Structure formats: C-alpha cells, structure tokens
Amino acid sequence: MAAYQTYLDSNRQRFLEELLEFLRIPSISALPERAEDVARAGDWVAQRLTAAGVENVEVLPTRGHPVVYGDWLHAPGKPTIMIYGHFDVQPVDPVELWTHPPFEPTVINDRVYARGASDDKGNMLAPILAVEALLKTEGAVPVNLKFCFEGQEEIGSPDIPEFMPPHRDRFACDLAVSADGGQFSETEPILLMSLRGICGVQIDIQGASTDLHSGLHGGRIQNPIHALTQILGSLRRADGKVAVEGFYDDVVEYTGEERAGIARVPFEGDEYLEELGLEEEFGEPGYTNRERGWIRPTLEMNGIWGGFQEEGIKTVLPNSAHAKITCRLVADQDPAGIFDLLREHISEHAPAGVKVEVTPLSILGRPYSISADHWGNRAAAAVLQEMYGREPYQTRSGGSIPITGVFQEQLGVDTISFGFGIEDENFHAPDEFFRLASFRKGQDAYCRLLEKLGETDPINGE
C-alpha cells in the first residue's frame, strides 16, 4: 500500500468530521441573505487548503461571491494542473420534503445526507485531502498545482467572465480538472465529453396600474396572465421543438458514428420513466431520449406567477404576470445570441394592451466539449480503468458548468471532469446525499490522477 493510502485510511474519521463541518454552512448563493454564509464557506475552504500544505492561499473578491485560490508550484518541468470546484449550494425548498434538516448533515448507511453533500462539497473536498496526503507522506506533489474554488456556480458564475481577465496569469495552467462531476454508477466509470451551455430570461408583463375587479373590468382590457400564456405558448411547438426562429441555426449535428457511441451507453427507458412516476416520454422528434438530454438544445419554463395564489377564489384581474425560462445550449450556440432571438420572438408575439419586458437572468454559459483522446482524458481513463476494472463510458451531460467555457476562452485550457457523484444522489433536490465510499474513492483517485498527469507531456500530448 502506498504511503498516501495509509495516510488517507488513518485519517478517515477526521476527514468525515471535516466534511460534516463544511456541510453545516448554508452557503446558498441564490439567496442574498445567505451571502455571508457563502463568504464563510470560502474562508473555510481557504483555511482547509492552508492546512493541507497549499501555498499562497487567497480569498479573492468578485462583484458577488468570492473565489478561493491556492497553489503549490515546486515541480519544475511538470505540467501545471488547476483543480476546480464550487462551495456554494442550491436552495433547499421545499424544505418540508427533507427527511432531516438540510444543513444538519446526517450519516446513515455510509451515506451523508445534506444540501451540497454531492454537489459539490464532498466532491471538491476530496482533492484537497488527496493533496494533503501526498504532501504529508512524500513531501511533494508530482505536478504543479493551482486551485480555483468558486462561490457562485449554482447561479451560473455571473461574475467569473469579468473576474478572470485581470487574474489570467494567476490561473494560467496546462489543464483544469473539475471535481464537480460524477461517475455512471458505483461500478461503472465515465469520461465526460461535453456539457450544455445555458441562457436564462425573465418575462415581466405589466397591465393596469393596480389589480382590478374582474367583473367590472374583465373583457374590457388585456389580462397580463392571458398575455403571458399566449407568449409562452408561442415558444415551443406541441411536439417539443422550439419555435423561436433561428434557435437551431448554429447547432452542430452529430454524426452517425457519434450517435452510435451515445447509444452504446446503457439506458433503460422504462426504468427512467418509472423512477419519475411517468408513463411516457416527450421531446423533440427524431432523437432518442438520451440524445435529447445530452446533445440537443432545450427551452423550458422554470417558473410562472401572477394574480391570486392562495386557497379559495378572489375575482381579480391581476395587473402583472411573470415567467422565468432557461435554455440549455449545445455547440455552437452562443448564449448572448440566443437571448437576442428570444427577446425578438417575445416582442413579436406580445399582444396589444400590456407592456412586456424581457431581461437576461444572471445565469449564462457557453456549451463545452472535449475529445476523448485529449491527454488529460487519457490520463483520467487510465486511472478509472485501474480503479473500476473496466473502460469508462464516453458520456455527455445535459447540465452546465459555465466556468469551463471561461477557462477555454480566457485561459486557453481544456477541462476534464473527475468527480465521484452518482446521478441518484438527489443534487438540487430534497434529501441530497453523497456516498462515503465515493468520498473515500475520490481521495485515492486524485492521488493516482496527479501521479499519472505527472508522467504526461502536455506539449506533445504524451
């Protein structure tokens, strides 16, 4: 057994207690009243990096939630690897559906239940512990290391595009490794080939200056809720295809070989529907269920409100109505361009008698893709095959990690995914959990990955 493995095993209980401490911080980036908690989580990460032996640790301000940096740069001639993760978490609503309070982490059957357990606190803590194990036992790491941990991923990293240019030299590296990711199952590994981009908009419909009596004014003026539903109904066809002109113009179509590769990844459609409590699937015609979730763009309503919401009835003609929409994007769709198309479409389909405002939400990110043959992915694949005893599937994600596009555009570096969450762990939902076996596996895997990357020549890709 390697010395670092002995160190990891002997400190297992301490590491668990530290994870529980981390999970108790309610670092919800979407809620302004939790901004201090997000900052507190950033301070916790900075202290933990320093304790691990990482140098030059700083909490860097942005216009919003902070970024934590650290480095260890004592491996001349070796590649510089930047490890990425995020310490902010999703809101917990509906809190009544949680079995245990979301920020009182509870360990049951080798699983820890808490908001952020899998996404991303458990996953991002694992590489910090791996680096500590290497430094404490061997006095060195086989590569040069930088860390980039942010506090705003769950709201789309809105300040990162502005934050990164003045810090470009600080974060310069040969490869980014994202701890915000997962594996196919407890026994099946993956290489993640792509992430979808994202674009969010809010529609605000304004009618009369105040709510009105529906008997006195109904049928005489435009109802903002009717106007909103008319607009929303125009955005998508009945078969699921987006009806916004130009929406698909820049979409890169996959080849037959690429689609065949997607089909090779196991997918049980009946089980998928059963888990969701549904009887049939729905989506853009001409594509499989998995393709719709991985390689096709979408437009989805995330929330709609206006008028009387409480029990009973109130005969009111509301003076406003609102909706939030997000689009998941694929190569080569540009989020800003898609926003312009949405705004134009909504303006054209807005009925008379109301004022319509379309504003971008802070969540915005470009789609991201990487080759399976990239030198970073080859190193990751070798480690995963060694640990799982099988070749990893080549998968894609329907989700988004906006900072990967920033790394690619502003730093000129690619990002490989190397996390150990599993899709059933309820991230973004009540009763989120993380398998402690995955927490331990991630620590070991990062030690092996850093060793493998230290044997790599990124210039020649060997």
Side-chain angles (χ1 to χ4, degrees):
M1 181 179 292
Y4 71 77
Q5 290 174 317
T6 301
Y7 184 90
L8 293 173
D9 287 345
S10 63
N11 287 278
R12 180 181 298 182
Q13 185 59 36
R14 175 169 67 90
F15 293 161
L16 172 58
E17 291 170 358
E18 290 174 341
L19 174 59
L20 300 182
E21 179 184 334
F22 193 18
L23 292 171
R24 291 188 185 101
I25 304 174
S27 49
I28 304 172
S29 53
L31 301 180
E33 61 268 28
R34 291 298 187 185
E36 291 186 4
D37 292 310
V38 179
R40 185 156 59 95
D43 290 339
W44 190 96
V45 171
Q47 292 167 10
R48 192 61 192 78
L49 283 169
T50 300
V54 177
E55 301 171 344
N56 302 312
V57 176
E58 289 187 66
V59 179
L60 302 172
T62 74
R63 293 209 300 177
H65 303 301
V67 172
V68 177
Y69 172 84
D71 62 39
W72 188 91
L73 305 174
H74 303 289
K78 298 296 184 179
T80 298
I81 308 301
M82 180 168 63
I83 296 175
Y84 165 77
H86 65 90
F87 49 85
D88 64 318
V89 301
Q90 281 278 319
V92 298
D93 298 338
V95 70
E96 67 272 12
L97 297 184
W98 286 78
T99 305
H100 307 280
F103 294 109
E104 295 179 16
T106 304
V107 177
I108 301 174
N109 296 328
D110 208 41
R111 298 177 173 186
V112 56
Y113 288 82
R115 172 57 86 226
S118 181
D119 183 21
D120 177 40
K121 290 181 176 178
N123 271 301
M124 65 152 280
L125 182 56
I128 299 175
L129 304 180
V131 170
E132 176 180 306
L134 290 169
L135 290 175
K136 297 296 185 183
T137 60
E138 301 179 16
V141 181
V143 295
N144 297 292
L145 273 180
K146 295 183 177 182
F147 293 87
C148 177
F149 293 127
E150 64 164 316
Q152 50 184 264
E153 192 276 341
E154 296 293 6
I155 54 173
S157 305
D159 302 306
I160 299 301
E162 180 183 274
F163 163 84
M164 192 57 69
H167 295 283
R168 187 177 287 118
D169 291 342
R170 184 194 301 264
F171 288 98
C173 58
D174 297 304
L175 176 73
V177 179
S178 173
D180 186 13
Q183 302 300 328
F184 194 80
S185 73
E186 293 181 84
T187 59
E188 299 164 293
I190 65 167
L191 289 180
L192 184 63
M193 300 292 98
S194 66
L195 292 153
R196 290 194 291 191
I198 191 166
C199 170
V201 303
Q202 179 164 321
I203 305 173
D204 297 294
I205 310 290
Q206 183 66 48
S209 58
T210 185
D211 288 356
L212 299 170
H213 190 295
S214 66
L216 297 179
H217 298 279
R220 301 172 64 188
I221 61 173
Q222 182 64 265
N223 184 317
I225 292 180
H226 286 296
L228 179 61
T229 57
Q230 182 176 324
I231 292 170
L232 297 181
S234 75
L235 291 169
R236 211 167 70 169
R237 296 187 336 199
D239 63 3
K241 193 174 180 69
V242 177
V244 176
E245 185 175 353
F247 185 80
Y248 295 98
D249 285 358
D250 295 326
V251 172
V252 175
E253 296 289 341
Y254 277 61
T255 66
E257 182 179 351
E258 288 171 327
R259 293 180 72 177
I262 292 172
R264 284 193 288 271
V265 181
F267 179 70
E268 299 294 336
D270 292 341
E271 291 183 10
Y272 170 75
L273 292 173
E274 184 178 351
E275 288 174 2
L276 299 179
L278 299 172
E279 295 183 357
E280 59 182 270
E281 62 183 48
F282 170 81
E284 183 184 2
Y287 297 91
T288 67
N289 189 297
R290 164 105 346 126
E291 287 172 340
R292 293 178 194 134
W294 281 2
I295 64 170
R296 298 301 295 170
T298 65
L299 184 154
E300 296 293 340
M301 318 298 170
N302 303 133
I304 179 171
W305 69 100
F308 183 64
Q309 306 288 321
E310 299 175 22
E311 187 176 353
I313 187 168
K314 180 181 181 183
T315 54
V316 65
L317 195 161
N319 76 321
S320 66
H322 316 267
K324 292 182 187 288
I325 298 170
T326 52
C327 299
R328 298 288 177 164
L329 309 177
V330 298
D332 287 329
Q333 290 179 299
D334 173 49
I338 292 298
F339 171 76
D340 290 340
L341 293 176
L342 290 171
R343 181 171 53 188
E344 182 178 347
H345 177 98
I346 292 166
S347 177
E348 290 177 353
H349 288 79
V354 291
K355 296 178 182 178
V356 179
E357 185 176 4
V358 182
T359 55
L361 299 175
S362 61
I363 188 164
L364 196 73
R366 296 187 67 87
Y368 173 79
S369 61
I370 186 173
S371 167
D373 196 44
H374 188 283
W375 60 272
N377 267 337
R378 289 205 303 271
V383 170
L384 293 171
Q385 183 151 5
E386 182 180 277
M387 296 191 69
Y388 287 82
R390 60 181 299 157
E391 185 177 344
Y393 298 126
Q394 294 182 17
T395 68
R396 291 160 173 82
S397 172
S400 309
I401 302 179
I403 204 170
T404 56
V406 176
F407 289 161
Q408 199 168 49
E409 291 180 5
Q410 298 193 17
L411 301 181
V413 297
D414 294 313
T415 304
I416 65 168
S417 178
F418 203 71
F420 292 86
I422 299 174
E423 193 169 325
D424 66 355
E425 291 177 342
N426 295 336
F427 25 83
H428 293 210
D431 284 349
E432 178 180 354
F433 70 92
F434 191 39
R435 290 169 170 86
L436 293 179
S438 297
F439 182 51
R440 296 187 291 269
K441 183 180 291 183
Q443 298 163 35
D444 184 14
Y446 264 93
C447 290
R448 299 187 191 206
L449 178 66
L450 296 177
E451 288 182 337
K452 185 66 67 175
L453 291 171
E455 300 167 359
T456 303
D457 176 3
I459 296 177
N460 298 312
E462 297 175 354

